Each structure stands twice: as C-alpha cells, then as structure tokens.
Amino acid sequence: MKLEERTVAEYHGRPVKFFDLENGRRLRARLMNYGATLISLHIPDRTGRLEDITLGFDNFEDYLGNNPYFGATVGRYANRIGGARFVLGGQEYVLARNEGPNHLHGGLKGFDKVMWEAVPVSDSRSVGVRFNYLSPDGDEGYPGNLDCQVTYLLNENDELHLAYLATTDRPTHVNLSHHSYFNLAGSRKENILEHELQIMASRFTPADERLIPTGEIKEVAGTPLDFLKPRPIGQRLKELPAGYDHNFILDSRGELALAARVVEPESGRVMELYTTEPGLQFYSGNFLDGTIRGKGGRPCGRHSAFCLEPQHFPDSPNKPQFPSTVLKPGEIYKSLTVIKFLTV
Ligand code: GLA
C-alpha cells in the first residue's frame, strides 16, 4: 500500500494536489482535489502488463480547458434536468442552462469544476482519499446548503470503491456520479467497439432528441440496448446514429449488485461495476471527435472510450414516476459504487 501526495499548481489561491495510490498488487490510481477527479488508473493485462485505462490529461491546467468531465465527480445532479427547472415544496427553482435549454451535470460550475477538501485515508487493506465539498444554498440554482463527501478507496482485492454521502439544510435534489472514460485496451486500441459489454438491465428510459426522458419505460429486448448477454459494443452501434447515450434501469435495485461487466478480449482485462444506484448511463464517447488531445498528446476520437455512470434516472425532479432524488434535512444521501478489476 502506498499513498503519495504532492502539490502541482495553485487554483484560486488553493493548492491543487495529486494523490498517487498503489494497492500493493501493482494497481495504481491518481486522484486530484479539483473536481474530486480520477486522473489515471493503471491495471495489468493477462500477462501482467500495466496500462492506464482511463482518458484524461497529463497536466492540471488541461482540466480547466475543453474537458468532457474526464474522471470527474459530477453533481449536484449527474445527467440532465429538462428545461433546467423543477418545482419542490410548491416553489419553482431555475437552474443554470448549460446544454441548450437543459441543465447537464450540475450546471456551469458543477462539482467537477470546484476545489474539494482532501484527506488521505487508509487502513491495512485499502488506501484512498476522502473529498469534501460544501455547496452553498443557491449554487447553480439549487436550494439548500449541501454538504458532500466522496471517498475513493483502492483495496487489495483490486477494487476501487466510490462512496458518496450528502446532507442538506433545506429540501433539494441530489444525484452524484462518477464520469471516468474507460478503454481497457489501454493505448493498444483506438476505439472500444470490440469490448464485450453486459448490462444487468431489462428496461431503459426512452428519451427525446435532447436526451430528456419521455417518462416511458421500455424493454431492451429486441433493441440495440439489449446487453443482458455479453456482446461487443460495436455489434449494433450502426442502428443508433447518435451512438449509445442511454439510461438503463438496473434489474436489482437498492442493494449493492452487479450492474455491468466489460471484457476486453485482447488484453484480457475485465471490469465489473457494482452499485446501489437504480440506473446506469452507458455513453459510448459519441461527442469525442479528436479535437481534444489527452494524455501523451493523443487525440481522443469518437468511441475511443466508454462511460458507465451509476446514477438515478435523468430528469427525476420532473418525473414523479421515477425513483425520487429528493433529499430532506435530517436524511443522509448514501450511494456506493465498486469497480472490480480482473483478467481472463
Ligand atoms: C454523459 C452524457 C453525455 C455527455 C457526456 C459528457 O455521459 O449522458 O450525453 O454529456 O456525459 O460529454
């Protein structure tokens, strides 16, 4: 187990820190307090070769530029809120509009763009960092002071734990998530189309052209969204000109359960994602078009990575039929995601 901390820059008078973790079995993760971000994750392939399997940047400054939420913590509300508004307790709240008329990933300055307090944490089996952020009443339009905590822990079972807690002093909406872009082939492959994906979801929430759910619930059976049995991401991608960017309704809800499994056949790398969340957004990197240059100056092309974002459903504040995202004073928002790495 190893944990090293260093200051790499200053942002609004505060030190930007990189935290390098190692789990004693060669897995390495780099975290940063800006955006409570996962910068890189090195895991072995079946021959033991270590490679970074996430998209991101080498330097802090690049995270301030054109950055599609690489490795970030997203909040207060991951995904979209239609019309950037909701009514809660009889009062209308108007949120920041940062995607046409809608609100995406917490607004103009979401949790991915703020400095979090960071404290290293470790025990005999794991090493990590606990991040805290107090989002003030009115932040991006949301009511209530929201006190948030995100803890990343890398353990000796080759698992990365992402644990979320939040409390508020006024009723509000909360939906926190993690936004890493994965390519399990490391630098070997330019796209993720041959990765085999399985998602434990029989249903999804259909959405309009701006990706706001219509409110319906449909079966994945017979559609390109059917990943109940593992199959290559690219197999039916052509049927979806805009690519995958869908919220799947996970079959098992409430308790920590396997939500998705991804196998990269050439390297043998496997990732399993377990979550307590009811939904999973599968995004196939459709908006990446090569203009962003990531680590090592490599352009990040279309489908060069995928995101699996455990979360509540998009636009829940305006969809009373969806699981609620309301948090009230005295309640504790809790969410846990575990990503386990192995090889075959
Ligand atoms: C999520 C969304 C996508 C896109 C990315 C960030 O995955 O669902 O539509 O906004 O974030 O580019």
Side-chain angles (χ1 to χ4, degrees), residues 68-69 80 99 104-105 179 181 211 245 281 283 287 309:
Y69 307 91
R80 294 168 177 82
E99 196 185 52
L104 172 69
H105 293 330
H179 211 297
Y181 287 73
L211 300 176
D245 199 351
Q281 184 86 7
Y283 169 60
F287 298 131
E309 304 155 52

Side-chain angles (χ1 to χ4, degrees), residues 1 12 17 21-22 29 79 106 116-117 143 149 156 163 184 192 215 241 250 306 308 323:
M1 302 278 168
H12 293 306
K17 289 185 178 176
L21 323 176
E22 208 186 300
N79 216 315
W116 295 66
E117 299 290 330
Q149 187 177 90
E156 60 181 19
L184 300 182
I192 42 82
L250 296 170
F306 65 89
L308 290 170

Side-chain angles (χ1 to χ4, degrees), residues 45-257:
D45 68 5
R46 69 162 75 84
T47 68
R49 192 167 103 113
L50 279 180
E51 268 189 303
D52 184 5
I53 55 146
T54 66
L55 297 193
F57 299 109
D58 293 316
N59 303 308
F60 160 67
E61 287 73 21
D62 294 328
Y63 281 87
L64 301 175
N66 185 5
N67 169 13
Y69 307 91
F70 281 155
T73 297
V74 277
R76 285 189 193 191
Y77 201 97
N79 216 315
R80 294 168 177 82
I81 298 180
R85 58 170 292 283
F86 58 79
V87 175
L88 186 59
Q91 197 178 323
E92 180 179 53
Y93 294 94
V94 178
L95 308 173
R97 294 184 167 182
N98 60 327
E99 196 185 52
N102 302 323
H103 178 85
L104 172 69
H105 293 330
L108 295 164
K109 197 173 167 77
F111 289 0
D112 58 298
K113 295 181 187 66
V114 300
M115 290 291 285
W116 295 66
E117 299 290 330
V119 184
V121 286
S122 59
D123 58 36
S124 59
R125 305 188 51 235
S126 53
V127 61
V129 179
R130 177 163 297 150
F131 295 102
N132 282 282
Y133 178 63
L134 180 65
S135 167
D137 185 28
D139 197 7
E140 299 294 309
Y142 291 95
N145 290 294
L146 189 74
D147 205 343
C148 301
Q149 187 177 90
V150 180
T151 307
Y152 289 77
L153 281 176
L154 185 63
N155 73 20
E156 60 181 19
N157 297 327
D158 295 348
E159 294 167 353
L160 182 67
H161 286 227
L162 298 129
Y164 302 83
L165 289 177
T167 55
T168 183
D169 58 3
R170 284 176 66 196
T172 191
H173 282 284
V174 190
N175 185 29
L176 304 178
S177 192
H178 178 75
H179 211 297
S180 274
Y181 287 73
F182 297 101
N183 183 332
L184 300 182
S187 56
R188 253 185 273 196
K189 286 251 178 71
E190 296 206 332
N191 65 60
I192 42 82
L193 302 183
E194 282 157 37
H195 283 54
E196 286 160 15
L197 171 67
Q198 184 176 21
I199 303 180
M200 283 53 189
S202 319
R203 298 175 303 158
F204 71 106
T205 54
D208 67 18
E209 66 289 343
R210 286 189 179 271
L211 300 176
I212 302 298
T214 59
E216 301 154 273
I217 285 177
K218 281 199 178 144
E219 299 279 323
V220 296
T223 78
L225 302 188
D226 187 348
F227 284 101
L228 284 162
K229 294 207 184 84
R231 59 182 182 81
I233 290 175
Q235 195 179 63
R236 297 187 67 177
L237 189 60
K238 281 199 191 72
E239 296 170 55
L240 300 167
Y244 289 101
D245 199 351
H246 296 79
N247 172 57
F248 290 75
I249 302 179
L250 296 170
D251 287 338
S252 92
R253 294 204 215 161
E255 71 224 27
L256 190 69

